[in-house]
Structures are given as structure tokens and as C-alpha cells.
């Protein structure tokens, strides 16, 4: 007996930093097991024919309501293997770095652009400091991508890309 077929897809995500180098993460849950929660960078699957940069900006707007963000360089890629809603996934995903001068209040973020079935599993948004991320390793609620604190520490040290001006 075999299990469900692995769903393969491509995705693009945004590591959005504010002027204090805090990163925006979203907290999500699994429809098949709502008690299973995790933190992740905004983003999601590419639509047919869509380029990763366009998908990253579209997903950021759908999940947070944030528009007018300029993406910096692609800073990472990975293949993530996970189960969501009872289905196994293999997801190739890229991460783009972006900066905003003024961190919007998470209470003002709007996920109404997401599909209803996605929106109900977006539980909250939060700006995380590097120290908070480093302390989250091994926590009850995982943070994805794994190694995010190390990646952001390296990028902050390299100042990639140049800081955005305050808007």
C-alpha cells in the first residue's frame, strides 16, 4: 500500500527586514492538525508562468497587505520536504531579501488578499530580532527556513542589500 503522491511545487519567499534588522515572520497552522504551528517567511507557490520575484511580491501583498516593497537579491534557496493538510510536499523555494525603513505594525497587516482556505491558517505576524530567532532554535514552534538566524546574521554583517531609506 502506498501513501499519497508527493506534490512538487516551486515557491518564492521574502525575508523582509526593518531598519533595526528585525525580520517579519508569519505564524501558520496545519488544517489537518491545527495544534501544529510554525513561523515562516511570507511567500508561497508560483503560479503557472510566474517568475519567482513576481511571486514573492504577490505573496507578500496577499499575506500582509504590504506593497511597494523593492526586492533585493536572492539570498538562499532550498528544497523543503513537509506535510500539509495530510499531503506530502517537496517544495523548491528561493528567498529574496528586502528592507523597509519603517516597520508597519503587525496589527495593520492585512491577509485578505490570500485565498480563504489559506487565510484561516495565517494566525499572526511578528517582527523578530536576531536574538529572538537565535533563541527559538529547538523551540516548540519551529521557525522556517531552518538556520534563518545564521543566514540573517551573515546578511546583516555583509549589509546586503544597502539599507532602504525611511519611507
Amino acid at each position: 500500500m502506498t501513501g499519497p503522491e508527493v506534490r512538487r511545487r516551486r515557491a518564492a519567499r521574502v525575508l523582509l527586514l526593518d531598519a533595526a534588522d528585525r525580520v517579519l515572520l508569519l505564524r501558520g497552522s496545519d488544517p489537518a492538525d491545527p495544534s501544529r504551528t510554525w513561523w515562516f517567511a511570507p511567500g508561497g507557490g508560483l503560479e503557472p508562468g510566474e517568475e519567482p520575484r513576481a511571486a514573492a511580491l504577490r505573496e507578500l501583498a496577499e499575506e500582509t497587505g504590504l506593497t511597494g516593497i523593492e526586492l533585493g537579491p536572492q539570498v538562499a534557496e532550498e528544497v523543503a520536504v513537509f506535510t500539509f493538510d495530510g499531503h506530502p510536499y517537496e517544495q523548491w523555494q528561493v528567498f529574496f531579501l528586502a528592507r523597509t525603513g519603517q516597520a508597519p505594525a503587525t496589527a495593520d497587516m492585512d491577509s485578505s488578499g490570500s485565498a480563504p482556505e489559506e487565510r484561516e491558517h495565517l494566525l499572526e505576524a511578528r517582527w523578530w530580532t536576531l536574538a529572538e530567532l537565535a533563541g527559538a532554535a529547538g523551540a516548540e514552534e519551529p521557525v522556517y527556513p531552518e538556520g534563518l538566524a545564521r543566514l540573517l546574521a551573515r546578511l546583516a554583517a555583509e549589509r546586503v542589500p544597502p539599507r532602504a531609506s525611511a519611507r
Side-chain angles (χ1 to χ4, degrees):
M1 183 175 201
T2 62
E5 184 175 332
V6 174
R7 297 178 178 185
R8 289 176 174 79
R9 71 180 208 162
R10 297 175 63 203
R13 300 196 173 280
V14 179
L15 301 176
L16 182 61
L17 301 177
D18 68 4
D21 286 334
R22 296 181 306 166
V23 65
L24 178 66
L25 296 178
L26 305 176
R27 184 171 168 249
S29 68
D30 187 334
D33 180 4
S35 68
R36 189 169 72 94
T37 59
W38 60 91
W39 291 92
F40 64 98
L46 277 64
E47 294 179 353
E50 190 175 35
E51 293 297 320
R53 292 181 78 80
L57 290 172
R58 176 184 52 77
E59 287 282 343
L60 180 66
E62 288 175 1
E63 294 174 344
T64 67
L66 299 175
T67 59
I69 301 293
E70 291 185 38
L71 291 183
Q74 178 184 322
V75 294
E77 73 177 67
E78 70 173 9
V79 175
V81 178
F82 58 94
T83 301
F84 183 77
D85 200 14
H87 301 283
Y89 284 84
E90 182 179 283
Q91 179 169 281
W92 170 83
Q93 56 189 8
V94 296
F95 295 84
F96 295 97
L97 187 62
R99 292 191 182 268
T100 183
Q102 186 71 12
T106 54
D108 294 336
M109 292 187 190
D110 178 10
S111 65
S112 65
S114 295
E117 63 275 7
E118 293 175 342
R119 192 169 45 248
E120 68 183 84
H121 300 287
L122 289 174
L123 306 176
E124 66 181 295
R126 177 177 161 200
W127 293 95
W128 290 67
T129 67
L130 194 55
E132 290 169 332
L133 276 177
E140 191 171 305
E141 285 186 315
V143 173
Y144 297 109
E146 292 179 9
L148 180 58
R150 286 187 310 277
L151 173 63
L152 291 176
R154 180 179 60 81
L155 295 172
E158 295 173 3
R159 296 229 182 264
V160 177
R163 292 186 183 278
S165 59
R167 293 184 184 159

